[in-house]
Amino acid sequence: MRSACRCLLAMLVCGFSFLSLEAQCPPRPAFGTVVHDALSLKSVNGVLNAEFTMRHSVDTAGYNHYCYNYDTGKRIVEAPTLRLNQGDHLVLDVKDRIESDDESSEMGAMNMSGLPVCGDSGTPTLSSTNVHFHGLNVPPICHQDDVLTTLIQPDKPAFRFDIQIPKDEPPGLYWYHPHVHGFTEFQVNGGAAGALIVEGMEKVRPEVAGLTQRVFVIRQQFLVPWVPGPYQLTINYQVAASPPFPAPIIQMKPSERQFWRVANATLQDFMPLQVQVEGVPQKLELIALDGYPLAKPRFEETILVPPAGRAEFIVQAPAQDNEGAIFMTNAYSTGPTGNPDFQEKLAEIEINQDAVEAEGRQPQTKTTEPAPRAPMGRIKFTGLSQQKPTAQRKLYFSEEFGGTNGPIQFYITVDGQKQEVFKADEKPVITTHVGAVEDWTIENRALETHAFHIHQIHFMLLEVDGKPVKHQDLLDTYEIPFWEGPGHPYHSFKGRFDFRDPTIAGTFVFHCHILLHEDMGMMHKILVLSK
Ligand SMILES: [Cu+2]
C-alpha cells in the first residue's frame, strides 16, 4: 500500500530495536491445533473487576505482539473475553508496561499540550496506550469510553475504567482495543484486542438458547518493518495461513448447531465470511451484527464483515466428519489504491463426537435455557425507523494524491467544509444535541474502500447507493466501496443516527476503521450537547 509511507518510515526506524526484548507476552497457539476460546471473565453480583497489563514482545518469526495480559493466579493469558449483563459495572484497571527506550517511538506524536488530560500527562508515543470499548453505547468521558484525552503511560500506576453497561444495551458482541491517535494500528497489529459480550442474546433471540457458543476473534498481523502486501490472519491467536501451514481446527459434534460470535479485529481486512462443505457455501443463520440483534434472523451464505465489525450466527455441522468443511474468508477488492484482501482458510471444521470434552478446551458457555423472550422494544434504538430526522448531513471520504507516490492524505469531511486531517486540538466538525435524530449520507470519493465507524452510538442502515435497503440493520461500522473512477457515481450509504439518549452526551469521534487511515487523520470530532 503506497499510503503506508509514514507508518513504514516509523517502523523502519524503530522496528528492529525491539527485537532484543525478552518475551513479555504469553506464547500463542501452535499451527494446526484446536482453536480454543479466550478465557471468559464474568461479572459477579453486577461487577466485573479485572486488571490488565499491556506488554510488548517480538516473536521468533519477527511479529510484534502487544498483549493485554491477565493473571489468573496460575498463568498469564492475553485478552480475555469480558462478559457482563445489562446494568453491570465494568471496573478495569489497565497498567502500561510496554518497554521501549527508543526515542523514535515518539514519531508522529500529537501535541496534546493545552488539552484536557485524562490519566497520565505527557506526549503520546508508541509506548502509550488507552482503551476504546468498541460499540458500547456509554459516556465518552474520562474513566469511561474517552479516547480523545485518555492516556496511559509506561510505568505509571494502573488507570481505572469504570463503566456501567446501560440497562437497555443491546445484548451482543463488542470488543476492546487501544485507540491512541497515531499509534492504534501498531498495537492492534500486535494483537491488542479482545471480545466483550453483553449477555442476554437468548432473551431477545431464543434461536440461540442452549447452543454452545464460540467466540472467534480474527486478528491480522504484518511484519515489522511494516511493508505493503503480505500479512497473516489469526483466529484466537492461531495463525491461519494454510497452506503452507496446517490449518487451525474447530471441533463440532455431528450435526451440532453452534452459536458463533465472530469479531473482525483486523487492521484493514474486509472479510466475506463463509462456512463451506466440500466447496459449497452453507446457510448461516444470522442473529446479530455489530452487537445488535437482528429484528428477524435471516439465512446468509456470505456475511461481509468490515474491519471492526462483528457477526453472530448459527452454524450447523455436517452429520459426519468431512475433510471439506471449512470456515473461510473470501477475497475482497478494496480498489486501485487499496490493499487486496485475500481468500484465506480460517479453520478446518473437524466433526468429533467428543468435541466439547476435548482435553484442554476452555469451558464453553451454554446460553441459558429455556429463554424467556424479551421484546426488542426494550433495547436501545428501537423504533428508530419511525423517527422523523431532525437534520440531514452529508460527509465524504477522500484521499489526496501526492504525485507519483500515491495518496498521502486521508480525509473524512463534512460536505461544504475544508478537507483536513484530524488534529487533537481541533474543534468538533459536527455539533448536535441530545434528542436529535439525524440522517447522514456518507460517500466515498476515494479509489479505495473505507469503513465508516462512529463511537458511542449505532446507526440504522437506510439506503445503499441511494436505494432503500431490504434490512434496516443497526450497525456501528459499515463499508463503502471504492470509486471506480471518472464516469462512475460515488458509492454511498445513508444511515439514521440516534442521539436521543443522554448517556452519550459529550465529544467523541467518527473515522475510517482501516487503522492506518485513522492514525493518519481520517477522523473528526462530533459534539453532542446535553439538552
Ligand atoms: Cu479508510
PDB file of all heavy atoms in Angstrom, residues 328-358:
ATOM      1  N   MET A 328     -14.010 -19.842   6.325  1.00  0.00           N
ATOM      2  CA  MET A 328     -13.090 -19.112   5.451  1.00  0.00           C
ATOM      3  C   MET A 328     -13.538 -17.684   5.185  1.00  0.00           C
ATOM      4  O   MET A 328     -14.690 -17.312   5.447  1.00  0.00           O
ATOM      5  CB  MET A 328     -12.979 -19.833   4.106  1.00  0.00           C
ATOM      6  CG  MET A 328     -14.303 -19.860   3.355  1.00  0.00           C
ATOM      7  SD  MET A 328     -14.173 -20.511   1.680  1.00  0.00           S
ATOM      8  CE  MET A 328     -13.150 -19.290   0.888  1.00  0.00           C
ATOM      9  N   THR A 329     -12.604 -16.886   4.726  1.00  0.00           N
ATOM     10  CA  THR A 329     -12.954 -15.575   4.201  1.00  0.00           C
ATOM     11  C   THR A 329     -12.603 -15.557   2.724  1.00  0.00           C
ATOM     12  O   THR A 329     -11.566 -16.082   2.308  1.00  0.00           O
ATOM     13  CB  THR A 329     -12.234 -14.436   4.957  1.00  0.00           C
ATOM     14  OG1 THR A 329     -12.542 -13.197   4.318  1.00  0.00           O
ATOM     15  CG2 THR A 329     -10.729 -14.613   4.996  1.00  0.00           C
ATOM     16  N   ASN A 330     -13.486 -14.980   1.935  1.00  0.00           N
ATOM     17  CA  ASN A 330     -13.232 -14.855   0.509  1.00  0.00           C
ATOM     18  C   ASN A 330     -12.371 -13.631   0.216  1.00  0.00           C
ATOM     19  O   ASN A 330     -12.221 -12.745   1.055  1.00  0.00           O
ATOM     20  CB  ASN A 330     -14.558 -14.729  -0.250  1.00  0.00           C
ATOM     21  CG  ASN A 330     -15.185 -16.084  -0.487  1.00  0.00           C
ATOM     22  OD1 ASN A 330     -14.565 -16.967  -1.079  1.00  0.00           O
ATOM     23  ND2 ASN A 330     -16.391 -16.283  -0.005  1.00  0.00           N
ATOM     24  N   ALA A 331     -11.837 -13.577  -0.978  1.00  0.00           N
ATOM     25  CA  ALA A 331     -11.105 -12.391  -1.409  1.00  0.00           C
ATOM     26  C   ALA A 331     -12.083 -11.221  -1.529  1.00  0.00           C
ATOM     27  O   ALA A 331     -13.282 -11.416  -1.749  1.00  0.00           O
ATOM     28  CB  ALA A 331     -10.434 -12.662  -2.749  1.00  0.00           C
ATOM     29  N   TYR A 332     -11.545 -10.011  -1.363  1.00  0.00           N
ATOM     30  CA  TYR A 332     -12.386  -8.815  -1.437  1.00  0.00           C
ATOM     31  C   TYR A 332     -11.540  -7.702  -2.034  1.00  0.00           C
ATOM     32  O   TYR A 332     -10.425  -7.433  -1.566  1.00  0.00           O
ATOM     33  CB  TYR A 332     -12.857  -8.438  -0.024  1.00  0.00           C
ATOM     34  CG  TYR A 332     -13.815  -7.267   0.021  1.00  0.00           C
ATOM     35  CD1 TYR A 332     -15.183  -7.448  -0.165  1.00  0.00           C
ATOM     36  CD2 TYR A 332     -13.342  -5.974   0.248  1.00  0.00           C
ATOM     37  CE1 TYR A 332     -16.059  -6.370  -0.120  1.00  0.00           C
ATOM     38  CE2 TYR A 332     -14.210  -4.896   0.293  1.00  0.00           C
ATOM     39  CZ  TYR A 332     -15.565  -5.103   0.116  1.00  0.00           C
ATOM     40  OH  TYR A 332     -16.430  -4.032   0.163  1.00  0.00           O
ATOM     41  N   SER A 333     -12.058  -7.046  -3.047  1.00  0.00           N
ATOM     42  CA  SER A 333     -11.302  -5.972  -3.685  1.00  0.00           C
ATOM     43  C   SER A 333     -11.585  -4.652  -2.992  1.00  0.00           C
ATOM     44  O   SER A 333     -12.742  -4.258  -2.837  1.00  0.00           O
ATOM     45  CB  SER A 333     -11.674  -5.853  -5.161  1.00  0.00           C
ATOM     46  OG  SER A 333     -11.072  -4.669  -5.683  1.00  0.00           O
ATOM     47  N   THR A 334     -10.520  -3.976  -2.591  1.00  0.00           N
ATOM     48  CA  THR A 334     -10.698  -2.660  -1.972  1.00  0.00           C
ATOM     49  C   THR A 334     -10.294  -1.537  -2.930  1.00  0.00           C
ATOM     50  O   THR A 334     -10.136  -0.395  -2.502  1.00  0.00           O
ATOM     51  CB  THR A 334      -9.885  -2.543  -0.669  1.00  0.00           C
ATOM     52  OG1 THR A 334      -8.499  -2.691  -0.981  1.00  0.00           O
ATOM     53  CG2 THR A 334     -10.299  -3.597   0.341  1.00  0.00           C
ATOM     54  N   GLY A 335     -10.132  -1.866  -4.217  1.00  0.00           N
ATOM     55  CA  GLY A 335      -9.917  -0.811  -5.197  1.00  0.00           C
ATOM     56  C   GLY A 335      -8.471  -0.591  -5.557  1.00  0.00           C
ATOM     57  O   GLY A 335      -7.560  -1.181  -4.973  1.00  0.00           O
ATOM     58  N   PRO A 336      -8.254   0.321  -6.570  1.00  0.00           N
ATOM     59  CA  PRO A 336      -6.919   0.515  -7.137  1.00  0.00           C
ATOM     60  C   PRO A 336      -5.866   0.959  -6.128  1.00  0.00           C
ATOM     61  O   PRO A 336      -4.712   0.586  -6.239  1.00  0.00           O
ATOM     62  CB  PRO A 336      -7.134   1.618  -8.193  1.00  0.00           C
ATOM     63  CG  PRO A 336      -8.587   1.647  -8.454  1.00  0.00           C
ATOM     64  CD  PRO A 336      -9.287   1.115  -7.238  1.00  0.00           C
ATOM     65  N   THR A 337      -6.234   1.750  -5.123  1.00  0.00           N
ATOM     66  CA  THR A 337      -5.220   2.202  -4.164  1.00  0.00           C
ATOM     67  C   THR A 337      -5.328   1.468  -2.827  1.00  0.00           C
ATOM     68  O   THR A 337      -4.626   1.787  -1.881  1.00  0.00           O
ATOM     69  CB  THR A 337      -5.298   3.723  -3.911  1.00  0.00           C
ATOM     70  OG1 THR A 337      -6.570   4.018  -3.334  1.00  0.00           O
ATOM     71  CG2 THR A 337      -5.118   4.496  -5.190  1.00  0.00           C
ATOM     72  N   GLY A 338      -6.210   0.490  -2.753  1.00  0.00           N
ATOM     73  CA  GLY A 338      -6.373  -0.256  -1.502  1.00  0.00           C
ATOM     74  C   GLY A 338      -5.506  -1.492  -1.468  1.00  0.00           C
ATOM     75  O   GLY A 338      -4.882  -1.870  -2.459  1.00  0.00           O
ATOM     76  N   ASN A 339      -5.468  -2.116  -0.305  1.00  0.00           N
ATOM     77  CA  ASN A 339      -4.774  -3.398  -0.167  1.00  0.00           C
ATOM     78  C   ASN A 339      -5.697  -4.511  -0.616  1.00  0.00           C
ATOM     79  O   ASN A 339      -6.872  -4.506  -0.272  1.00  0.00           O
ATOM     80  CB  ASN A 339      -4.444  -3.660   1.296  1.00  0.00           C
ATOM     81  CG  ASN A 339      -3.097  -3.100   1.670  1.00  0.00           C
ATOM     82  OD1 ASN A 339      -2.081  -3.617   1.243  1.00  0.00           O
ATOM     83  ND2 ASN A 339      -3.096  -2.044   2.431  1.00  0.00           N
ATOM     84  N   PRO A 340      -5.154  -5.495  -1.324  1.00  0.00           N
ATOM     85  CA  PRO A 340      -6.006  -6.647  -1.633  1.00  0.00           C
ATOM     86  C   PRO A 340      -6.263  -7.462  -0.369  1.00  0.00           C
ATOM     87  O   PRO A 340      -5.371  -7.621   0.459  1.00  0.00           O
ATOM     88  CB  PRO A 340      -5.167  -7.447  -2.633  1.00  0.00           C
ATOM     89  CG  PRO A 340      -3.763  -7.032  -2.377  1.00  0.00           C
ATOM     90  CD  PRO A 340      -3.806  -5.625  -1.843  1.00  0.00           C
ATOM     91  N   ASP A 341      -7.485  -7.918  -0.223  1.00  0.00           N
ATOM     92  CA  ASP A 341      -7.822  -8.806   0.892  1.00  0.00           C
ATOM     93  C   ASP A 341      -7.978 -10.208   0.320  1.00  0.00           C
ATOM     94  O   ASP A 341      -8.869 -10.466  -0.491  1.00  0.00           O
ATOM     95  CB  ASP A 341      -9.117  -8.349   1.579  1.00  0.00           C
ATOM     96  CG  ASP A 341      -8.940  -6.998   2.257  1.00  0.00           C
ATOM     97  OD1 ASP A 341      -7.784  -6.635   2.559  1.00  0.00           O
ATOM     98  OD2 ASP A 341      -9.943  -6.309   2.477  1.00  0.00           O
ATOM     99  N   PHE A 342      -7.113 -11.099   0.738  1.00  0.00           N
ATOM    100  CA  PHE A 342      -7.015 -12.402   0.084  1.00  0.00           C
ATOM    101  C   PHE A 342      -8.011 -13.412   0.632  1.00  0.00           C
ATOM    102  O   PHE A 342      -8.444 -13.324   1.772  1.00  0.00           O
ATOM    103  CB  PHE A 342      -5.598 -12.963   0.251  1.00  0.00           C
ATOM    104  CG  PHE A 342      -4.535 -12.049  -0.281  1.00  0.00           C
ATOM    105  CD1 PHE A 342      -3.624 -11.448   0.583  1.00  0.00           C
ATOM    106  CD2 PHE A 342      -4.457 -11.774  -1.640  1.00  0.00           C
ATOM    107  CE1 PHE A 342      -2.645 -10.594   0.090  1.00  0.00           C
ATOM    108  CE2 PHE A 342      -3.478 -10.918  -2.128  1.00  0.00           C
ATOM    109  CZ  PHE A 342      -2.575 -10.331  -1.259  1.00  0.00           C
ATOM    110  N   GLN A 343      -8.322 -14.380  -0.223  1.00  0.00           N
ATOM    111  CA  GLN A 343      -9.080 -15.545   0.259  1.00  0.00           C
ATOM    112  C   GLN A 343      -8.195 -16.320   1.228  1.00  0.00           C
ATOM    113  O   GLN A 343      -7.008 -16.522   0.975  1.00  0.00           O
ATOM    114  CB  GLN A 343      -9.464 -16.423  -0.933  1.00  0.00           C
ATOM    115  CG  GLN A 343     -10.244 -17.661  -0.539  1.00  0.00           C
ATOM    116  CD  GLN A 343     -10.619 -18.478  -1.759  1.00  0.00           C
ATOM    117  OE1 GLN A 343     -11.109 -17.942  -2.751  1.00  0.00           O
ATOM    118  NE2 GLN A 343     -10.383 -19.775  -1.710  1.00  0.00           N
ATOM    119  N   GLU A 344      -8.776 -16.737   2.317  1.00  0.00           N
ATOM    120  CA  GLU A 344      -7.984 -17.437   3.330  1.00  0.00           C
ATOM    121  C   GLU A 344      -8.864 -18.431   4.077  1.00  0.00           C
ATOM    122  O   GLU A 344     -10.006 -18.117   4.408  1.00  0.00           O
ATOM    123  CB  GLU A 344      -7.441 -16.407   4.326  1.00  0.00           C
ATOM    124  CG  GLU A 344      -6.261 -16.850   5.150  1.00  0.00           C
ATOM    125  CD  GLU A 344      -4.939 -16.701   4.425  1.00  0.00           C
ATOM    126  OE1 GLU A 344      -4.554 -15.565   4.080  1.00  0.00           O
ATOM    127  OE2 GLU A 344      -4.318 -17.740   4.179  1.00  0.00           O
ATOM    128  N   LYS A 345      -8.301 -19.597   4.278  1.00  0.00           N
ATOM    129  CA  LYS A 345      -8.999 -20.580   5.121  1.00  0.00           C
ATOM    130  C   LYS A 345      -8.705 -20.233   6.571  1.00  0.00           C
ATOM    131  O   LYS A 345      -7.545 -20.213   6.984  1.00  0.00           O
ATOM    132  CB  LYS A 345      -8.493 -21.987   4.781  1.00  0.00           C
ATOM    133  CG  LYS A 345      -9.144 -23.077   5.605  1.00  0.00           C
ATOM    134  CD  LYS A 345      -8.993 -24.454   4.970  1.00  0.00           C
ATOM    135  CE  LYS A 345      -7.547 -24.860   4.767  1.00  0.00           C
ATOM    136  NZ  LYS A 345      -7.369 -26.204   4.205  1.00  0.00           N
ATOM    137  N   LEU A 346      -9.736 -19.934   7.345  1.00  0.00           N
ATOM    138  CA  LEU A 346      -9.522 -19.548   8.738  1.00  0.00           C
ATOM    139  C   LEU A 346      -9.381 -20.772   9.636  1.00  0.00           C
ATOM    140  O   LEU A 346      -8.671 -20.745  10.632  1.00  0.00           O
ATOM    141  CB  LEU A 346     -10.677 -18.670   9.234  1.00  0.00           C
ATOM    142  CG  LEU A 346     -10.794 -17.324   8.503  1.00  0.00           C
ATOM    143  CD1 LEU A 346     -12.131 -16.675   8.779  1.00  0.00           C
ATOM    144  CD2 LEU A 346      -9.652 -16.403   8.908  1.00  0.00           C
ATOM    145  N   ALA A 347     -10.109 -21.845   9.281  1.00  0.00           N
ATOM    146  CA  ALA A 347     -10.027 -23.072  10.084  1.00  0.00           C
ATOM    147  C   ALA A 347     -10.665 -24.220   9.323  1.00  0.00           C
ATOM    148  O   ALA A 347     -11.533 -24.009   8.472  1.00  0.00           O
ATOM    149  CB  ALA A 347     -10.741 -22.896  11.419  1.00  0.00           C
ATOM    150  N   GLU A 348     -10.227 -25.420   9.658  1.00  0.00           N
ATOM    151  CA  GLU A 348     -10.923 -26.619   9.205  1.00  0.00           C
ATOM    152  C   GLU A 348     -11.872 -27.054  10.312  1.00  0.00           C
ATOM    153  O   GLU A 348     -11.541 -26.951  11.497  1.00  0.00           O
ATOM    154  CB  GLU A 348      -9.914 -27.733   8.880  1.00  0.00           C
ATOM    155  CG  GLU A 348      -9.166 -27.417   7.597  1.00  0.00           C
ATOM    156  CD  GLU A 348      -8.096 -28.445   7.254  1.00  0.00           C
ATOM    157  OE1 GLU A 348      -7.934 -29.427   8.013  1.00  0.00           O
ATOM    158  OE2 GLU A 348      -7.415 -28.230   6.239  1.00  0.00           O
ATOM    159  N   ILE A 349     -13.049 -27.507   9.903  1.00  0.00           N
ATOM    160  CA  ILE A 349     -14.036 -27.943  10.895  1.00  0.00           C
ATOM    161  C   ILE A 349     -13.950 -29.459  11.004  1.00  0.00           C
ATOM    162  O   ILE A 349     -14.143 -30.172  10.019  1.00  0.00           O
ATOM    163  CB  ILE A 349     -15.450 -27.488  10.486  1.00  0.00           C
ATOM    164  CG1 ILE A 349     -15.487 -25.947  10.429  1.00  0.00           C
ATOM    165  CG2 ILE A 349     -16.492 -28.022  11.471  1.00  0.00           C
ATOM    166  CD1 ILE A 349     -16.746 -25.371   9.828  1.00  0.00           C
ATOM    167  N   GLU A 350     -13.618 -29.891  12.206  1.00  0.00           N
ATOM    168  CA  GLU A 350     -13.453 -31.325  12.450  1.00  0.00           C
ATOM    169  C   GLU A 350     -14.690 -31.832  13.188  1.00  0.00           C
ATOM    170  O   GLU A 350     -15.049 -31.286  14.234  1.00  0.00           O
ATOM    171  CB  GLU A 350     -12.204 -31.546  13.306  1.00  0.00           C
ATOM    172  CG  GLU A 350     -11.900 -32.984  13.623  1.00  0.00           C
ATOM    173  CD  GLU A 350     -10.685 -33.073  14.550  1.00  0.00           C
ATOM    174  OE1 GLU A 350      -9.552 -32.924  14.061  1.00  0.00           O
ATOM    175  OE2 GLU A 350     -10.875 -33.278  15.753  1.00  0.00           O
ATOM    176  N   ILE A 351     -15.316 -32.840  12.616  1.00  0.00           N
ATOM    177  CA  ILE A 351     -16.512 -33.396  13.253  1.00  0.00           C
ATOM    178  C   ILE A 351     -16.066 -34.493  14.201  1.00  0.00           C
ATOM    179  O   ILE A 351     -15.441 -35.471  13.786  1.00  0.00           O
ATOM    180  CB  ILE A 351     -17.506 -33.940  12.200  1.00  0.00           C
ATOM    181  CG1 ILE A 351     -17.800 -32.852  11.177  1.00  0.00           C
ATOM    182  CG2 ILE A 351     -18.783 -34.434  12.871  1.00  0.00           C
ATOM    183  CD1 ILE A 351     -18.308 -31.549  11.733  1.00  0.00           C
ATOM    184  N   ASN A 352     -16.392 -34.301  15.471  1.00  0.00           N
ATOM    185  CA  ASN A 352     -15.853 -35.162  16.504  1.00  0.00           C
ATOM    186  C   ASN A 352     -16.910 -35.301  17.600  1.00  0.00           C
ATOM    187  O   ASN A 352     -17.333 -34.311  18.200  1.00  0.00           O
ATOM    188  CB  ASN A 352     -14.573 -34.493  17.057  1.00  0.00           C
ATOM    189  CG  ASN A 352     -13.869 -35.340  18.077  1.00  0.00           C
ATOM    190  OD1 ASN A 352     -14.489 -36.165  18.752  1.00  0.00           O
ATOM    191  ND2 ASN A 352     -12.575 -35.132  18.202  1.00  0.00           N
ATOM    192  N   GLN A 353     -17.323 -36.535  17.850  1.00  0.00           N
ATOM    193  CA  GLN A 353     -18.358 -36.783  18.857  1.00  0.00           C
ATOM    194  C   GLN A 353     -17.947 -36.242  20.228  1.00  0.00           C
ATOM    195  O   GLN A 353     -18.766 -35.827  21.029  1.00  0.00           O
ATOM    196  CB  GLN A 353     -18.648 -38.294  18.942  1.00  0.00           C
ATOM    197  CG  GLN A 353     -19.823 -38.680  19.829  1.00  0.00           C
ATOM    198  CD  GLN A 353     -21.135 -38.029  19.382  1.00  0.00           C
ATOM    199  OE1 GLN A 353     -21.515 -38.106  18.211  1.00  0.00           O
ATOM    200  NE2 GLN A 353     -21.821 -37.365  20.299  1.00  0.00           N
ATOM    201  N   ASP A 354     -16.648 -36.220  20.483  1.00  0.00           N
ATOM    202  CA  ASP A 354     -16.163 -35.784  21.790  1.00  0.00           C
ATOM    203  C   ASP A 354     -15.739 -34.318  21.776  1.00  0.00           C
ATOM    204  O   ASP A 354     -14.963 -33.876  22.630  1.00  0.00           O
ATOM    205  CB  ASP A 354     -14.967 -36.649  22.211  1.00  0.00           C
ATOM    206  CG  ASP A 354     -15.344 -38.118  22.287  1.00  0.00           C
ATOM    207  OD1 ASP A 354     -16.481 -38.405  22.703  1.00  0.00           O
ATOM    208  OD2 ASP A 354     -14.511 -38.961  21.910  1.00  0.00           O
ATOM    209  N   ALA A 355     -16.235 -33.591  20.823  1.00  0.00           N
ATOM    210  CA  ALA A 355     -15.721 -32.239  20.599  1.00  0.00           C
ATOM    211  C   ALA A 355     -15.643 -31.413  21.877  1.00  0.00           C
ATOM    212  O   ALA A 355     -14.602 -30.857  22.185  1.00  0.00           O
ATOM    213  CB  ALA A 355     -16.586 -31.528  19.568  1.00  0.00           C
ATOM    214  N   VAL A 356     -16.696 -31.344  22.629  1.00  0.00           N
ATOM    215  CA  VAL A 356     -16.722 -30.447  23.788  1.00  0.00           C
ATOM    216  C   VAL A 356     -15.789 -30.915  24.887  1.00  0.00           C
ATOM    217  O   VAL A 356     -15.215 -30.120  25.620  1.00  0.00           O
ATOM    218  CB  VAL A 356     -18.163 -30.275  24.314  1.00  0.00           C
ATOM    219  CG1 VAL A 356     -18.202 -29.448  25.588  1.00  0.00           C
ATOM    220  CG2 VAL A 356     -19.009 -29.621  23.235  1.00  0.00           C
ATOM    221  N   GLU A 357     -15.598 -32.241  24.977  1.00  0.00           N
ATOM    222  CA  GLU A 357     -14.793 -32.776  26.069  1.00  0.00           C
ATOM    223  C   GLU A 357     -13.295 -32.832  25.746  1.00  0.00           C
ATOM    224  O   GLU A 357     -12.522 -33.312  26.552  1.00  0.00           O
ATOM    225  CB  GLU A 357     -15.267 -34.199  26.431  1.00  0.00           C
ATOM    226  CG  GLU A 357     -16.612 -34.243  27.140  1.00  0.00           C
ATOM    227  CD  GLU A 357     -17.764 -34.044  26.170  1.00  0.00           C
ATOM    228  OE1 GLU A 357     -17.618 -34.331  24.968  1.00  0.00           O
ATOM    229  OE2 GLU A 357     -18.826 -33.574  26.635  1.00  0.00           O
ATOM    230  N   ALA A 358     -12.920 -32.321  24.615  1.00  0.00           N
ATOM    231  CA  ALA A 358     -11.512 -32.426  24.224  1.00  0.00           C
ATOM    232  C   ALA A 358     -10.594 -31.849  25.295  1.00  0.00           C
ATOM    233  O   ALA A 358     -10.906 -30.847  25.914  1.00  0.00           O
ATOM    234  CB  ALA A 358     -11.284 -31.698  22.901  1.00  0.00           C
TER     235      ALA A 358
END
